[in-house]
Amino acid sequence: MSQSAVKASGVTDAPDAGRWKALVFIALAQLMVVLDATIVNIALPSAQQDLGISDGNRQWVVTAYALAFGGLLLFGGRIADLWGRKRTFVTGLAGFAVASALGGAATNEAMMFSSRALQGVFGALLAPAALSLLAVMFTDAKERAKAFGIYGAIAGGGGAVGLILGGFLTEYLNWRWTFFVNIPFAVVAAAGAYLVIREPKGSRNRSPLDIPGVILSTLGLVALVYGFTRAESNGWSDATTIGMFVGAAVLLLSFVLVESRVKAPLLPLRVITERNRGGIYLSLGLAIIAMFGLFLFLTYYLQIVKGYTPVKTGFAFLPMIAGMITGSTQIGTRLMTRVAPRLLMGPGFLVAAVGMLFLTRLEINTSYAGVLLPGMLLLGLGMGTAFMPAMSLATMGVEPRDAGVASAMVNTSQQVGGAIGTALLNTIAASATTSYIADHMGGASSRSQQQLVQLQGQVQGYTSAIWFAVGILVAAAAVALTFVNAGRPGGPAAGASGAGETAEDELPVPVVAH
């Protein structure tokens, strides 16, 4: 649909005068959510010791958040469409701040786990509301490219920033500040959003809430995320792990069946069956599988093998952050309106795969400047370039009433991808490490030689898993190049695009009132 056609239909597409101010507060909130995913990992050993959390239970500090966040994302997206994105956004920020205060003040493991689950609940409201606000506020192709460039850089690089901030707070203050630091973020973002965000009128979806869809999707996603989390700690052949995967498959298939039949579905199937959006969700999920595993391995490698402090480890990730920001705000933003999205996404994922390929050369005495620096720089550059058009295209062309659930699907693909990546790549690494140590420990006579074999075994495990991550990124590139066939935003209209199809050289203009 061309701009002129939109105007002729009587639908207003006048941009909101305060949209750039709104972007500042939306970006701040997104940064807080992304930071929280990694900042707590740095603080976990100290928190575990202070609160007396057992080794068997410590995973719940991460798992409680992941289950609540991943399980409720679709519901959160639908609430944003129903209740209003601004109201949902501010509520999510307020709740996240309260949950963070409880986490920082935790006196035992039950209080810690509860606060993390509560963070996940309000994060599931906040994340899709933030992305859908961008989708309905920025409608001009060039402005949208800039806005999503900033958002994509934060979504991709925020996790690495969390490692730096987490290292600083843990080393120079204490672990509790990794929670308390969220409070000023949330207060500033909520106050700013309340004052400057003006959500377009008529963009809500006031249909009755699909209760069966809410129950099936929440239980299905929780079972799926928990299945991967349990596989990491208990193995893939564990009866409960298998049961979770079977249960998730049954619940999610039932969810799809229900959504195809109800009058007002939680997730209209038109959102995910559109070729471009389906390709985006799948390729993003694959890329996140590779990324999450890498964060974990490099953190362990730098601290355990290389002996870096938490702060030094965080700074070691700076090239990746620089690459992310450059790829997203410079390459992606500048080219988004000139070339088709797949020509940014496919090559972007391939550049990231080359960066990952550098990291397969890790050894105990590997040079940071010779291997880690170029590897992380290329990885960040490629991911930033690919993430920016992916974030924009995932919500472009959706009806305003579906913007929340379309945004939630972006977050869901990332959350599920993260759970898969952590579990799958950890399992591969652990298996390779065990095999290496079993083969080489016999020749180690002294204690120092045995310690050397163990370190070499760990590095062997990391590189084995990183090889798989290279393949996953190549698969993400193939999916993007195959499925994403939309043209550049604002391109000349094609002459004969069939009903319901997207012209090859033109992206659909996002309608901002319904």
Side-chain angles (χ1 to χ4, degrees):
M1 191 180 202
S2 68
Q3 290 279 13
S4 58
V6 173
K7 290 174 183 175
S9 69
V11 177
T12 178
D13 58 358
D16 176 17
R19 61 197 179 281
W20 291 108
K21 292 179 183 176
L23 175 62
V24 172
F25 301 111
I26 292 170
L28 187 63
Q30 175 65 15
L31 179 61
M32 181 189 71
V33 172
V34 177
L35 282 176
D36 195 72
T38 52
I39 198 171
V40 174
N41 291 346
I42 294 285
L44 185 53
S46 302
Q48 180 185 356
Q49 187 175 359
D50 273 7
L51 300 179
I53 301 173
S54 68
D55 286 348
N57 284 341
R58 70 180 174 187
Q59 64 162 327
W60 283 101
V61 176
V62 175
T63 304
Y65 177 86
L67 293 181
F69 185 68
L72 292 170
L73 272 168
L74 284 177
F75 179 56
R78 179 66 180 87
I79 289 296
D81 288 335
L82 175 67
W83 199 20
R85 294 170 193 92
K86 175 179 175 178
R87 185 185 300 176
T88 305
F89 182 72
V90 173
T91 302
L93 282 166
F96 203 92
V98 171
S100 298
L102 288 174
T107 55
N108 53 53
E109 62 178 33
M111 191 172 172
M112 170 61 77
F113 300 156
S114 299
S115 70
R116 288 291 283 163
L118 201 59
Q119 278 186 318
V121 170
F122 285 104
L125 283 178
L126 176 59
L131 185 55
S132 58
L133 276 170
L134 287 189
V136 298
M137 292 177 75
F138 288 90
T139 58
D140 176 76
K142 290 184 178 179
E143 286 194 348
R144 187 179 176 90
K146 291 178 184 176
F148 277 88
I150 294 168
Y151 186 90
I154 290 171
V161 176
L163 295 172
I164 297 174
L165 189 57
F168 260 107
L169 294 172
T170 304
E171 198 164 319
Y172 296 115
L173 294 173
N174 64 50
W175 66 266
R176 295 184 185 277
W177 283 96
T178 61
F179 287 89
F180 291 146
V181 74
N182 290 328
I183 298 172
F185 274 100
V187 170
V188 172
Y194 182 79
L195 293 172
V196 305
I197 288 180
R198 298 289 180 268
E199 189 175 349
K201 293 180 179 180
S203 62
R204 292 191 194 178
N205 183 347
R206 299 183 185 275
S207 303
L209 195 59
D210 170 22
I211 300 298
V214 170
I215 294 171
L216 288 170
S217 68
T218 301
L219 292 178
L221 288 170
V222 164
L224 184 63
V225 172
Y226 183 60
F228 282 110
T229 302
R230 189 174 175 88
E232 181 188 352
S233 56
N234 293 66
W236 296 89
S237 58
D238 174 69
T240 305
T241 301
I242 295 170
M244 284 293 154
F245 285 138
V246 172
V250 171
L251 288 163
L252 292 175
L253 285 172
S254 301
F255 170 67
V256 172
L257 187 63
V258 167
E259 298 308 274
S260 67
R261 298 190 175 189
V262 297
K263 185 177 180 181
L266 172 70
L267 175 64
L269 296 184
R270 62 180 175 268
V271 171
I272 56 174
T273 54
E274 197 276 320
R275 173 175 180 157
N276 290 284
R277 280 192 290 277
I280 293 287
Y281 299 145
L282 181 56
S283 61
L284 270 183
L286 288 169
I288 292 295
I289 288 174
M291 279 286 287
F292 261 63
L294 183 76
F295 273 145
L296 193 65
F297 298 141
L298 283 186
T299 301
Y300 281 136
Y301 173 79
L302 291 170
Q303 291 194 37
I304 295 174
V305 179
K306 304 293 281 186
Y308 284 20
T309 63
V311 171
K312 191 176 179 181
T313 299
F315 275 109
F317 280 96
L318 277 177
M320 189 185 296
I321 301 171
M324 286 268 190
I325 293 171
T326 303
S328 188
T329 63
Q330 299 303 310
I331 301 173
T333 299
R334 291 175 187 277
L335 295 180
M336 178 68 181
T337 56
R338 300 179 184 180
V339 301
R342 68 178 180 277
L343 300 180
L344 289 173
M345 291 180 62
F349 288 136
L350 289 176
V351 168
V354 172
M356 198 77 83
L357 201 59
F358 263 86
L359 300 174
T360 61
R361 297 165 55 199
L362 287 181
E363 295 176 359
I364 289 179
N365 297 316
T366 293
S367 160
Y368 178 84
V371 174
L372 287 160
L373 175 63
M376 286 198 282
L377 195 58
L378 286 171
L379 185 64
L381 200 63
M383 284 294 198
T385 301
F387 270 38
M388 185 264 145
M391 292 290 183
S392 178
L393 187 59
T395 54
M396 183 165 277
V398 296
E399 297 179 35
R401 60 179 179 161
D402 295 335
V405 290
S407 302
M409 275 303 300
V410 176
N411 290 285
T412 300
S413 67
Q414 291 177 304
Q415 186 66 21
V416 172
I420 295 172
T422 303
L424 178 63
L425 296 181
N426 242 0
T427 304
I428 293 167
S431 176
T433 296
T434 302
S435 177
Y436 182 92
I437 291 174
D439 290 343
H440 295 81
M441 190 60 82
S445 54
S446 66
R447 182 173 178 79
S448 61
Q449 287 177 327
Q450 290 173 353
Q451 289 175 337
L452 181 62
V453 169
Q454 287 177 336
L455 285 177
Q456 288 171 333
Q458 286 186 32
V459 176
Q460 179 67 31
Y462 302 153
T463 55
S464 297
I466 291 171
W467 271 111
F468 273 86
V470 171
I472 292 168
L473 283 173
V474 171
V479 168
L481 290 168
T482 303
F483 286 89
V484 179
N485 68 346
R488 62 186 178 86
S497 179
E501 295 177 356
T502 303
E504 179 65 22
D505 58 353
E506 180 188 31
L507 280 177
V509 176
V511 181
V512 297
H514 182 75

